[in-house]
Amino acid sequence: MDVVAEHGLTEDTVLAGTGLSPTDVRDPHALTSIRQYLTACENVVRAGVDLRVAYEVGARLHLSAYGMYGYALMCSPTMRDFFDFAVRYHPLATPIQQLGWRQEGDRAIWTFTEIYGDLMSHDLRNFLLRQQMMMTSTHMRDVVGADTRPLQAHFGLADVGRTAADEAELGCPCHFGRPAHELHFPANILDQAPELANRLTRAMLEDTCDRLVGQAKMTSGVAGDVYQLLMLAPN
């Protein structure tokens, strides 16, 4: 809402059809769903914003926006731990794409697998993928340093005629029509320690993230409904 307000879109435009009010969004205890976020992004795309807005959103979503998950990542003892933890606890980040990573030769490669691609318009897929690419790049800079940039980006979508703009935003060559969505970094980054590395704090936060994942599983879907009913009469 903050980003698109600078482009002339109102909060009501963003939240149309989500069932959320601006007060809900600003309540730190409110829970929102992936469906609501997809609806909000679809509203923004339909309003005709430029794809650069996706990069603006991704650039503002620092790790500090992700609560305990984000702080645990910042405290990772090494970047390899950072990659592993990010993937294992990614459900806490309300994921639009499934996050993965692999080491391939001299590359450490983030992979983004679309979960809801069949539910999205082509324009929304383009928007959210760019947001995710920028968001991940932002998180890498948060922990390694402001000069950190990917080596290259692979898009599993067709070029929409803005390759130069994409490369300027991500700071690396961008290749389209590839088999998968990927963001490549040098593998030697894996042995580096994040600037805020703290093994003890990370261990404590990992326990907290385990509890949060458990709570999320117990409060969603049919299993969550059954759990809540049982807890009304625990005997």
Side-chain angles (χ1 to χ4, degrees):
M1 291 191 310
D2 292 341
V3 171
V4 298
E6 298 170 7
H7 295 269
L9 297 188
T10 66
E11 294 177 344
D12 288 341
T13 298
V14 178
L15 297 178
T18 64
L20 297 169
S21 69
T23 301
D24 294 329
V25 174
R26 294 186 173 91
D27 179 356
H29 302 293
L31 298 177
T32 59
S33 70
I34 291 174
R35 167 65 74 180
Q36 287 169 320
Y37 189 70
L38 288 175
T39 299
C41 289
E42 183 69 63
N43 292 338
V44 169
V45 169
R46 285 177 180 169
V49 299
D50 188 88
L51 280 175
R52 75 175 186 277
V53 171
Y55 289 113
E56 291 179 32
V57 174
R60 292 199 194 184
L61 283 171
H62 291 277
L63 284 172
S64 57
Y66 290 90
M68 293 301 179
Y69 171 71
Y71 287 119
L73 284 169
M74 286 189 278
C75 294
S76 297
T78 69
M79 286 305 296
R80 189 178 296 275
D81 292 311
F82 175 93
F83 275 66
D84 287 338
F85 191 96
V87 171
R88 187 161 73 251
Y89 291 97
H90 196 227
L92 293 176
T94 318
I96 304 300
Q97 284 96 12
Q98 181 179 344
L99 187 66
W101 86 276
R102 71 182 188 276
Q103 183 175 352
E104 194 172 282
D106 61 353
R107 301 288 177 90
I109 302 172
W110 291 108
T111 61
F112 312 104
T113 303
E114 291 181 281
I115 306 172
Y116 307 103
D118 293 341
L119 304 178
M120 300 182 198
S121 66
H122 177 72
D123 289 341
L124 181 57
R125 290 178 67 199
N126 270 294
F127 184 93
L128 288 173
L129 181 58
R130 283 167 171 80
Q131 176 190 301
Q132 180 67 62
M133 292 273 193
M134 191 63 179
M135 193 166 61
T136 300
S137 185
T138 298
H139 296 170
M140 293 291 286
R141 289 197 295 275
D142 284 344
V143 294
V144 181
D147 294 333
T148 305
R149 291 291 185 276
L151 297 173
Q152 59 181 339
H154 290 188
F155 291 78
L157 298 173
D159 185 0
V160 292
R162 49 167 292 127
T163 301
D166 290 320
E167 292 179 343
E169 295 284 2
L170 287 172
C172 69
C174 295
H175 306 284
F176 292 85
R178 294 302 176 96
H181 310 310
E182 298 177 349
L183 205 55
H184 294 222
F185 286 87
N188 60 15
I189 206 171
L190 297 172
D191 297 322
Q192 295 183 30
E195 295 180 349
L196 299 179
N198 188 300
R199 193 175 296 274
L200 291 176
T201 302
R202 158 64 183 271
M204 179 182 68
L205 292 171
E206 187 166 349
D207 289 340
T208 302
C209 287
D210 281 331
R211 290 196 296 273
L212 290 172
V213 169
Q215 290 171 11
K217 289 179 178 178
M218 291 186 296
T219 56
S220 62
V222 175
D225 293 340
V226 173
Y227 174 82
Q228 297 300 329
L229 289 170
L230 289 172
M231 289 306 293
L232 292 175
N235 291 332

